[in-house]
Amino acid sequence: MSTQALLTEIEAFLTDTDMPTSTFGRRAVNDWKFVRDLRDGKRRVWPETAEKVRKFMADVRPAPAKAAA
């Protein structure tokens, strides 16, 4: 998984939740500059960090429940 793919997921999350980038970074990985650095290409994302970010997004915005058949 590329950094760009993760950034695309983060951007969609930020749009859906109206969460500021600094708040996202602080809450997801304890670094308010996280999203800014990703956007600027100044950060490499390790698989463990990507997993942590995705878990944070899933916890804040759970997947919608499937409709009953």
Side-chain angles (χ1 to χ4, degrees), residues 28-51:
V29 294
N30 200 30
D31 181 357
W32 67 271
K33 299 179 292 183
F34 180 73
V35 177
R36 182 188 72 183
D37 289 349
L38 284 180
R39 287 175 175 164
D40 292 343
K42 295 180 180 179
R43 182 173 296 242
R44 177 177 177 178
V45 179
W46 296 98
E48 298 83 5
T49 304
E51 183 178 325

PDB file of all heavy atoms in Angstrom, residues 28-51:
ATOM      1  N   ALA A  28      -4.684  10.335  15.726  1.00  0.00           N
ATOM      2  CA  ALA A  28      -4.349   9.065  15.072  1.00  0.00           C
ATOM      3  C   ALA A  28      -2.942   8.587  15.421  1.00  0.00           C
ATOM      4  O   ALA A  28      -2.744   7.402  15.710  1.00  0.00           O
ATOM      5  CB  ALA A  28      -4.495   9.192  13.562  1.00  0.00           C
ATOM      6  N   VAL A  29      -1.968   9.498  15.367  1.00  0.00           N
ATOM      7  CA  VAL A  29      -0.571   9.077  15.559  1.00  0.00           C
ATOM      8  C   VAL A  29       0.217   9.998  16.483  1.00  0.00           C
ATOM      9  O   VAL A  29       1.447   9.934  16.536  1.00  0.00           O
ATOM     10  CB  VAL A  29       0.167   8.949  14.206  1.00  0.00           C
ATOM     11  CG1 VAL A  29      -0.413   7.830  13.377  1.00  0.00           C
ATOM     12  CG2 VAL A  29       0.155  10.256  13.447  1.00  0.00           C
ATOM     13  N   ASN A  30      -0.489  10.864  17.202  1.00  0.00           N
ATOM     14  CA  ASN A  30       0.135  11.779  18.152  1.00  0.00           C
ATOM     15  C   ASN A  30       1.147  12.720  17.483  1.00  0.00           C
ATOM     16  O   ASN A  30       2.217  12.982  18.012  1.00  0.00           O
ATOM     17  CB  ASN A  30       0.786  11.013  19.306  1.00  0.00           C
ATOM     18  CG  ASN A  30       1.005  11.891  20.513  1.00  0.00           C
ATOM     19  OD1 ASN A  30       0.265  12.831  20.750  1.00  0.00           O
ATOM     20  ND2 ASN A  30       2.039  11.593  21.277  1.00  0.00           N
ATOM     21  N   ASP A  31       0.811  13.201  16.279  1.00  0.00           N
ATOM     22  CA  ASP A  31       1.667  14.137  15.550  1.00  0.00           C
ATOM     23  C   ASP A  31       0.789  15.059  14.719  1.00  0.00           C
ATOM     24  O   ASP A  31       0.248  14.656  13.686  1.00  0.00           O
ATOM     25  CB  ASP A  31       2.641  13.375  14.653  1.00  0.00           C
ATOM     26  CG  ASP A  31       3.586  14.300  13.892  1.00  0.00           C
ATOM     27  OD1 ASP A  31       3.460  15.539  14.006  1.00  0.00           O
ATOM     28  OD2 ASP A  31       4.453  13.774  13.173  1.00  0.00           O
ATOM     29  N   TRP A  32       0.654  16.298  15.155  1.00  0.00           N
ATOM     30  CA  TRP A  32      -0.249  17.232  14.483  1.00  0.00           C
ATOM     31  C   TRP A  32       0.192  17.555  13.060  1.00  0.00           C
ATOM     32  O   TRP A  32      -0.599  18.020  12.254  1.00  0.00           O
ATOM     33  CB  TRP A  32      -0.430  18.511  15.291  1.00  0.00           C
ATOM     34  CG  TRP A  32       0.796  19.354  15.398  1.00  0.00           C
ATOM     35  CD1 TRP A  32       1.766  19.270  16.353  1.00  0.00           C
ATOM     36  CD2 TRP A  32       1.198  20.406  14.518  1.00  0.00           C
ATOM     37  NE1 TRP A  32       2.735  20.203  16.119  1.00  0.00           N
ATOM     38  CE2 TRP A  32       2.413  20.921  14.992  1.00  0.00           C
ATOM     39  CE3 TRP A  32       0.637  20.962  13.371  1.00  0.00           C
ATOM     40  CZ2 TRP A  32       3.094  21.960  14.368  1.00  0.00           C
ATOM     41  CZ3 TRP A  32       1.310  21.996  12.743  1.00  0.00           C
ATOM     42  CH2 TRP A  32       2.528  22.494  13.246  1.00  0.00           C
ATOM     43  N   LYS A  33       1.460  17.301  12.708  1.00  0.00           N
ATOM     44  CA  LYS A  33       1.970  17.598  11.367  1.00  0.00           C
ATOM     45  C   LYS A  33       1.858  16.412  10.413  1.00  0.00           C
ATOM     46  O   LYS A  33       2.279  16.502   9.261  1.00  0.00           O
ATOM     47  CB  LYS A  33       3.442  18.008  11.454  1.00  0.00           C
ATOM     48  CG  LYS A  33       3.693  19.237  12.289  1.00  0.00           C
ATOM     49  CD  LYS A  33       5.165  19.551  12.349  1.00  0.00           C
ATOM     50  CE  LYS A  33       5.851  18.453  13.162  1.00  0.00           C
ATOM     51  NZ  LYS A  33       7.271  18.679  13.364  1.00  0.00           N
ATOM     52  N   PHE A  34       1.295  15.312  10.850  1.00  0.00           N
ATOM     53  CA  PHE A  34       1.266  14.076  10.077  1.00  0.00           C
ATOM     54  C   PHE A  34       0.684  14.260   8.676  1.00  0.00           C
ATOM     55  O   PHE A  34       1.321  13.926   7.676  1.00  0.00           O
ATOM     56  CB  PHE A  34       0.489  13.004  10.854  1.00  0.00           C
ATOM     57  CG  PHE A  34       0.399  11.684  10.161  1.00  0.00           C
ATOM     58  CD1 PHE A  34       1.498  10.866  10.067  1.00  0.00           C
ATOM     59  CD2 PHE A  34      -0.794  11.254   9.603  1.00  0.00           C
ATOM     60  CE1 PHE A  34       1.430   9.639   9.427  1.00  0.00           C
ATOM     61  CE2 PHE A  34      -0.891  10.028   8.964  1.00  0.00           C
ATOM     62  CZ  PHE A  34       0.229   9.226   8.876  1.00  0.00           C
ATOM     63  N   VAL A  35      -0.515  14.803   8.571  1.00  0.00           N
ATOM     64  CA  VAL A  35      -1.179  14.958   7.269  1.00  0.00           C
ATOM     65  C   VAL A  35      -0.431  15.972   6.412  1.00  0.00           C
ATOM     66  O   VAL A  35      -0.214  15.748   5.214  1.00  0.00           O
ATOM     67  CB  VAL A  35      -2.666  15.351   7.426  1.00  0.00           C
ATOM     68  CG1 VAL A  35      -3.324  15.592   6.073  1.00  0.00           C
ATOM     69  CG2 VAL A  35      -3.422  14.275   8.197  1.00  0.00           C
ATOM     70  N   ARG A  36      -0.003  17.055   6.998  1.00  0.00           N
ATOM     71  CA  ARG A  36       0.751  18.065   6.251  1.00  0.00           C
ATOM     72  C   ARG A  36       2.012  17.455   5.650  1.00  0.00           C
ATOM     73  O   ARG A  36       2.318  17.669   4.474  1.00  0.00           O
ATOM     74  CB  ARG A  36       1.125  19.232   7.164  1.00  0.00           C
ATOM     75  CG  ARG A  36       1.863  20.341   6.421  1.00  0.00           C
ATOM     76  CD  ARG A  36       2.400  21.380   7.351  1.00  0.00           C
ATOM     77  NE  ARG A  36       3.531  20.803   8.080  1.00  0.00           N
ATOM     78  CZ  ARG A  36       4.189  21.436   9.024  1.00  0.00           C
ATOM     79  NH1 ARG A  36       3.812  22.645   9.400  1.00  0.00           N
ATOM     80  NH2 ARG A  36       5.216  20.881   9.617  1.00  0.00           N
ATOM     81  N   ASP A  37       2.730  16.678   6.437  1.00  0.00           N
ATOM     82  CA  ASP A  37       3.955  16.042   5.948  1.00  0.00           C
ATOM     83  C   ASP A  37       3.663  15.015   4.857  1.00  0.00           C
ATOM     84  O   ASP A  37       4.421  14.896   3.894  1.00  0.00           O
ATOM     85  CB  ASP A  37       4.718  15.385   7.093  1.00  0.00           C
ATOM     86  CG  ASP A  37       5.360  16.394   8.034  1.00  0.00           C
ATOM     87  OD1 ASP A  37       5.396  17.594   7.695  1.00  0.00           O
ATOM     88  OD2 ASP A  37       5.831  15.975   9.113  1.00  0.00           O
ATOM     89  N   LEU A  38       2.556  14.277   4.980  1.00  0.00           N
ATOM     90  CA  LEU A  38       2.175  13.336   3.925  1.00  0.00           C
ATOM     91  C   LEU A  38       1.882  14.084   2.632  1.00  0.00           C
ATOM     92  O   LEU A  38       2.325  13.682   1.550  1.00  0.00           O
ATOM     93  CB  LEU A  38       0.940  12.528   4.327  1.00  0.00           C
ATOM     94  CG  LEU A  38       1.126  11.408   5.326  1.00  0.00           C
ATOM     95  CD1 LEU A  38      -0.216  10.732   5.600  1.00  0.00           C
ATOM     96  CD2 LEU A  38       2.139  10.390   4.852  1.00  0.00           C
ATOM     97  N   ARG A  39       1.131  15.151   2.733  1.00  0.00           N
ATOM     98  CA  ARG A  39       0.784  15.942   1.552  1.00  0.00           C
ATOM     99  C   ARG A  39       2.032  16.503   0.866  1.00  0.00           C
ATOM    100  O   ARG A  39       2.095  16.586  -0.356  1.00  0.00           O
ATOM    101  CB  ARG A  39      -0.138  17.095   1.931  1.00  0.00           C
ATOM    102  CG  ARG A  39      -1.545  16.681   2.256  1.00  0.00           C
ATOM    103  CD  ARG A  39      -2.349  17.868   2.733  1.00  0.00           C
ATOM    104  NE  ARG A  39      -3.746  17.534   2.959  1.00  0.00           N
ATOM    105  CZ  ARG A  39      -4.581  18.290   3.652  1.00  0.00           C
ATOM    106  NH1 ARG A  39      -4.162  19.441   4.179  1.00  0.00           N
ATOM    107  NH2 ARG A  39      -5.836  17.924   3.827  1.00  0.00           N
ATOM    108  N   ASP A  40       3.008  16.893   1.670  1.00  0.00           N
ATOM    109  CA  ASP A  40       4.233  17.497   1.140  1.00  0.00           C
ATOM    110  C   ASP A  40       5.273  16.460   0.709  1.00  0.00           C
ATOM    111  O   ASP A  40       6.343  16.836   0.238  1.00  0.00           O
ATOM    112  CB  ASP A  40       4.856  18.427   2.178  1.00  0.00           C
ATOM    113  CG  ASP A  40       4.018  19.672   2.451  1.00  0.00           C
ATOM    114  OD1 ASP A  40       3.135  19.993   1.621  1.00  0.00           O
ATOM    115  OD2 ASP A  40       4.245  20.311   3.491  1.00  0.00           O
ATOM    116  N   GLY A  41       4.969  15.166   0.908  1.00  0.00           N
ATOM    117  CA  GLY A  41       5.911  14.118   0.545  1.00  0.00           C
ATOM    118  C   GLY A  41       7.114  14.028   1.464  1.00  0.00           C
ATOM    119  O   GLY A  41       8.153  13.491   1.102  1.00  0.00           O
ATOM    120  N   LYS A  42       6.968  14.529   2.683  1.00  0.00           N
ATOM    121  CA  LYS A  42       8.077  14.562   3.634  1.00  0.00           C
ATOM    122  C   LYS A  42       8.060  13.410   4.627  1.00  0.00           C
ATOM    123  O   LYS A  42       8.846  13.393   5.560  1.00  0.00           O
ATOM    124  CB  LYS A  42       8.041  15.870   4.426  1.00  0.00           C
ATOM    125  CG  LYS A  42       8.266  17.096   3.594  1.00  0.00           C
ATOM    126  CD  LYS A  42       8.219  18.328   4.453  1.00  0.00           C
ATOM    127  CE  LYS A  42       8.457  19.573   3.633  1.00  0.00           C
ATOM    128  NZ  LYS A  42       8.377  20.781   4.466  1.00  0.00           N
ATOM    129  N   ARG A  43       7.160  12.473   4.436  1.00  0.00           N
ATOM    130  CA  ARG A  43       7.022  11.408   5.420  1.00  0.00           C
ATOM    131  C   ARG A  43       6.845  10.071   4.742  1.00  0.00           C
ATOM    132  O   ARG A  43       6.116   9.942   3.779  1.00  0.00           O
ATOM    133  CB  ARG A  43       5.822  11.675   6.323  1.00  0.00           C
ATOM    134  CG  ARG A  43       5.669  10.619   7.404  1.00  0.00           C
ATOM    135  CD  ARG A  43       4.592  10.995   8.370  1.00  0.00           C
ATOM    136  NE  ARG A  43       4.936  12.207   9.071  1.00  0.00           N
ATOM    137  CZ  ARG A  43       5.106  12.270  10.383  1.00  0.00           C
ATOM    138  NH1 ARG A  43       4.964  11.214  11.116  1.00  0.00           N
ATOM    139  NH2 ARG A  43       5.387  13.411  10.953  1.00  0.00           N
ATOM    140  N   ARG A  44       7.516   9.084   5.290  1.00  0.00           N
ATOM    141  CA  ARG A  44       7.335   7.698   4.871  1.00  0.00           C
ATOM    142  C   ARG A  44       6.412   7.044   5.887  1.00  0.00           C
ATOM    143  O   ARG A  44       6.546   7.276   7.082  1.00  0.00           O
ATOM    144  CB  ARG A  44       8.673   6.979   4.847  1.00  0.00           C
ATOM    145  CG  ARG A  44       8.547   5.536   4.486  1.00  0.00           C
ATOM    146  CD  ARG A  44       9.886   4.885   4.392  1.00  0.00           C
ATOM    147  NE  ARG A  44       9.689   3.477   4.118  1.00  0.00           N
ATOM    148  CZ  ARG A  44      10.641   2.619   3.943  1.00  0.00           C
ATOM    149  NH1 ARG A  44      11.896   3.016   4.013  1.00  0.00           N
ATOM    150  NH2 ARG A  44      10.384   1.351   3.702  1.00  0.00           N
ATOM    151  N   VAL A  45       5.488   6.234   5.415  1.00  0.00           N
ATOM    152  CA  VAL A  45       4.540   5.590   6.321  1.00  0.00           C
ATOM    153  C   VAL A  45       4.850   4.104   6.382  1.00  0.00           C
ATOM    154  O   VAL A  45       4.805   3.400   5.372  1.00  0.00           O
ATOM    155  CB  VAL A  45       3.079   5.808   5.861  1.00  0.00           C
ATOM    156  CG1 VAL A  45       2.117   5.107   6.796  1.00  0.00           C
ATOM    157  CG2 VAL A  45       2.772   7.286   5.796  1.00  0.00           C
ATOM    158  N   TRP A  46       5.178   3.643   7.556  1.00  0.00           N
ATOM    159  CA  TRP A  46       5.439   2.227   7.789  1.00  0.00           C
ATOM    160  C   TRP A  46       4.104   1.480   7.867  1.00  0.00           C
ATOM    161  O   TRP A  46       3.083   2.071   8.222  1.00  0.00           O
ATOM    162  CB  TRP A  46       6.230   2.036   9.073  1.00  0.00           C
ATOM    163  CG  TRP A  46       7.580   2.663   8.979  1.00  0.00           C
ATOM    164  CD1 TRP A  46       7.947   3.891   9.447  1.00  0.00           C
ATOM    165  CD2 TRP A  46       8.727   2.118   8.339  1.00  0.00           C
ATOM    166  NE1 TRP A  46       9.250   4.140   9.137  1.00  0.00           N
ATOM    167  CE2 TRP A  46       9.765   3.063   8.461  1.00  0.00           C
ATOM    168  CE3 TRP A  46       8.987   0.924   7.669  1.00  0.00           C
ATOM    169  CZ2 TRP A  46      11.034   2.843   7.943  1.00  0.00           C
ATOM    170  CZ3 TRP A  46      10.257   0.708   7.164  1.00  0.00           C
ATOM    171  CH2 TRP A  46      11.261   1.659   7.306  1.00  0.00           C
ATOM    172  N   PRO A  47       4.102   0.195   7.558  1.00  0.00           N
ATOM    173  CA  PRO A  47       2.853  -0.579   7.606  1.00  0.00           C
ATOM    174  C   PRO A  47       2.147  -0.493   8.966  1.00  0.00           C
ATOM    175  O   PRO A  47       0.924  -0.418   9.024  1.00  0.00           O
ATOM    176  CB  PRO A  47       3.300  -2.008   7.308  1.00  0.00           C
ATOM    177  CG  PRO A  47       4.553  -1.849   6.514  1.00  0.00           C
ATOM    178  CD  PRO A  47       5.223  -0.609   7.054  1.00  0.00           C
ATOM    179  N   GLU A  48       2.914  -0.478  10.026  1.00  0.00           N
ATOM    180  CA  GLU A  48       2.325  -0.387  11.371  1.00  0.00           C
ATOM    181  C   GLU A  48       1.597   0.937  11.562  1.00  0.00           C
ATOM    182  O   GLU A  48       0.544   0.997  12.191  1.00  0.00           O
ATOM    183  CB  GLU A  48       3.404  -0.554  12.454  1.00  0.00           C
ATOM    184  CG  GLU A  48       4.086  -1.895  12.431  1.00  0.00           C
ATOM    185  CD  GLU A  48       5.232  -1.996  11.412  1.00  0.00           C
ATOM    186  OE1 GLU A  48       5.572  -0.972  10.760  1.00  0.00           O
ATOM    187  OE2 GLU A  48       5.774  -3.099  11.263  1.00  0.00           O
ATOM    188  N   THR A  49       2.176   2.004  11.026  1.00  0.00           N
ATOM    189  CA  THR A  49       1.550   3.318  11.139  1.00  0.00           C
ATOM    190  C   THR A  49       0.280   3.374  10.300  1.00  0.00           C
ATOM    191  O   THR A  49      -0.747   3.891  10.748  1.00  0.00           O
ATOM    192  CB  THR A  49       2.528   4.423  10.703  1.00  0.00           C
ATOM    193  OG1 THR A  49       3.718   4.326  11.481  1.00  0.00           O
ATOM    194  CG2 THR A  49       1.907   5.803  10.873  1.00  0.00           C
ATOM    195  N   ALA A  50       0.334   2.837   9.090  1.00  0.00           N
ATOM    196  CA  ALA A  50      -0.853   2.810   8.232  1.00  0.00           C
ATOM    197  C   ALA A  50      -1.974   2.034   8.916  1.00  0.00           C
ATOM    198  O   ALA A  50      -3.143   2.450   8.878  1.00  0.00           O
ATOM    199  CB  ALA A  50      -0.523   2.192   6.881  1.00  0.00           C
ATOM    200  N   GLU A  51      -1.637   0.928   9.543  1.00  0.00           N
ATOM    201  CA  GLU A  51      -2.636   0.123  10.255  1.00  0.00           C
ATOM    202  C   GLU A  51      -3.251   0.917  11.409  1.00  0.00           C
ATOM    203  O   GLU A  51      -4.467   0.900  11.616  1.00  0.00           O
ATOM    204  CB  GLU A  51      -1.976  -1.153  10.783  1.00  0.00           C
ATOM    205  CG  GLU A  51      -2.928  -2.099  11.465  1.00  0.00           C
ATOM    206  CD  GLU A  51      -2.222  -3.363  11.930  1.00  0.00           C
ATOM    207  OE1 GLU A  51      -1.291  -3.827  11.243  1.00  0.00           O
ATOM    208  OE2 GLU A  51      -2.607  -3.875  12.997  1.00  0.00           O
TER     209      GLU A  51
END
